[in-house]
Amino acid sequence: SFYKLRIFNSFVNSLGQDAQVDLTIYHCDPKIFLNALTESTGRYDYYVVMPHFKDELNIHQNTSKEVLEALRKIPEEKLLILDNNLPMLDRNVAAVYQDFKTDIYEALQEGLEMLKRYDKLLLVYPRKTLYPYPLDILNGFQKFCSDFHFSFEVLEEIYPDMELRAKDAYIIIEEMDLVNLVKQIRDKKFVLGQDIGIISYNDTPLKDLLGITVISTDFQVMGETAAYMILKKKKEVVKNVFRFINRNSV
């Protein structure tokens, strides 16, 4: 994805010209991942793994028994876990990660006073995607709504010609859903940030340009931190920064 590419570019640039980095994409498929790991055994000084998997029903999985066994065969000093933490790995390895459940909960809490102006929160959480999103995003959203007494709903996508209601606020994950919602808001003469609120998940330069409020980790910092750990031979476990960035769309 665009976001993972930002992490990769930041990581490579931060390592500098003395490092050679090979990229293997396994499409969240544990079988492809295990095959790739087997083929690369002993070939590298470091293995940087972004563990996001899916099962037969295309539901996000953090890991599996087979994946954990394979990762445990890599020497601790050569393994770095990136983006998604694996405490169940039970090894002393470096990690730079997002805590998806806590991150969305705390970020929405930062925007609590703004969200109180709305009657209902709607999370657009796509379930039918090639690369599924962590369920902890959904769990963190539901916990926030429960703890702070918000009426809420979970949608799978922004449908054409939706019946939009004033005083609803949307948390959007996918870019196309964001585009479709903004277009419908404009077509139906609602005022963004007053009648209907939008918070988008994961920041991009375009969202900054369009004035869309976001909740997002810092992908560049994640890549830089991972590179720093390798260069300095550190084995720390670091939760990457996650922020609520207000741009007046909520």
Side-chain angles (χ1 to χ4, degrees):
S1 70
F2 172 74
Y3 308 106
K4 301 298 186 290
L5 182 61
R6 288 172 66 187
I7 299 172
F8 176 76
N9 287 337
S10 173
F11 175 72
V12 171
N13 291 337
S14 299
L15 280 178
Q17 296 181 351
D18 292 335
Q20 177 183 326
V21 181
D22 292 341
L23 174 65
T24 300
I25 300 174
Y26 60 92
H27 305 289
C28 296
D29 188 321
K31 292 181 181 178
I32 297 176
F33 174 80
L34 292 170
N35 288 336
L37 201 58
T38 299
E39 291 175 4
S40 67
T41 299
R43 291 176 55 188
Y44 298 101
D45 297 309
Y46 294 95
Y47 295 81
V48 181
V49 177
M50 303 179 84
H52 293 283
F53 300 95
K54 58 185 177 183
D55 62 14
E56 296 80 6
L57 300 176
N58 209 43
I59 296 174
H60 183 277
Q61 301 289 322
N62 291 329
T63 186
S64 67
K65 180 181 177 182
E66 294 75 18
V67 168
L68 289 175
E69 289 176 354
L71 291 177
R72 286 171 182 150
K73 294 178 181 178
I74 301 173
E76 290 183 350
E77 67 276 7
K78 290 191 172 190
L79 178 61
L80 189 150
I81 303 297
L82 197 57
D83 195 46
N84 189 19
N85 196 23
L86 293 181
M88 65 288 291
L89 184 60
D90 196 26
R91 289 292 187 274
N92 181 25
V93 300
V96 189
Y97 68 97
Q98 296 187 66
D99 183 336
F100 294 96
K101 182 176 181 178
T102 301
D103 283 344
I104 188 172
Y105 183 97
E106 293 181 350
L108 292 177
Q109 197 173 354
E110 284 187 53
L112 180 60
E113 292 306 312
M114 301 172 206
L115 291 172
K116 283 180 178 178
R117 298 190 286 111
Y118 295 90
D119 297 331
K120 188 176 185 179
L121 303 185
L122 298 97
L123 174 66
V124 185
Y125 179 85
R127 297 179 184 272
K128 299 175 183 178
T129 60
L130 182 60
Y131 305 120
Y133 293 95
L135 286 169
D136 277 345
I137 296 175
L138 173 60
N139 295 335
F141 168 77
Q142 291 174 326
K143 178 172 171 47
F144 171 82
C145 293
S146 175
D147 287 354
F148 293 97
H149 311 292
F150 280 99
S151 174
F152 71 93
E153 185 177 349
V154 178
L155 306 175
E156 290 199 16
E157 63 178 300
I158 295 296
Y159 305 98
D161 245 1
M162 281 184 58
E163 183 181 343
L164 300 181
R165 292 169 296 192
K167 297 306 174 185
D168 280 354
Y170 291 79
I171 292 92
I172 306 285
I173 296 178
E174 292 232 317
E175 298 276 303
M176 189 52 64
D177 285 324
L178 175 62
V179 171
N180 290 339
L181 180 59
V182 170
K183 186 176 185 304
Q184 291 188 50
I185 289 172
R186 291 177 177 176
D187 289 346
K188 295 174 182 178
K189 309 303 181 185
F190 285 110
V191 178
L192 182 62
Q194 294 182 26
D195 300 322
I196 293 178
I198 292 180
I199 297 175
S200 186
Y201 197 94
N202 290 334
D203 197 16
T204 65
L206 183 59
K207 293 173 188 177
D208 187 5
L209 183 66
L210 295 176
I212 301 296
T213 297
V214 297
I215 52 177
S216 180
T217 197
D218 191 318
F219 299 101
Q220 180 169 336
V221 168
M222 184 180 290
E224 291 172 350
T225 305
Y228 174 81
M229 286 188 178
I230 287 178
L231 293 172
K232 299 297 182 180
K233 301 185 185 302
K234 291 184 176 292
K235 288 201 295 183
E236 299 174 1
V237 178
V238 177
K239 180 181 174 298
N240 204 55
V241 61
F242 195 92
R243 298 175 294 170
F244 176 92
I245 304 173
N246 180 31
R247 298 188 181 123
N248 300 317
S249 68
V250 70

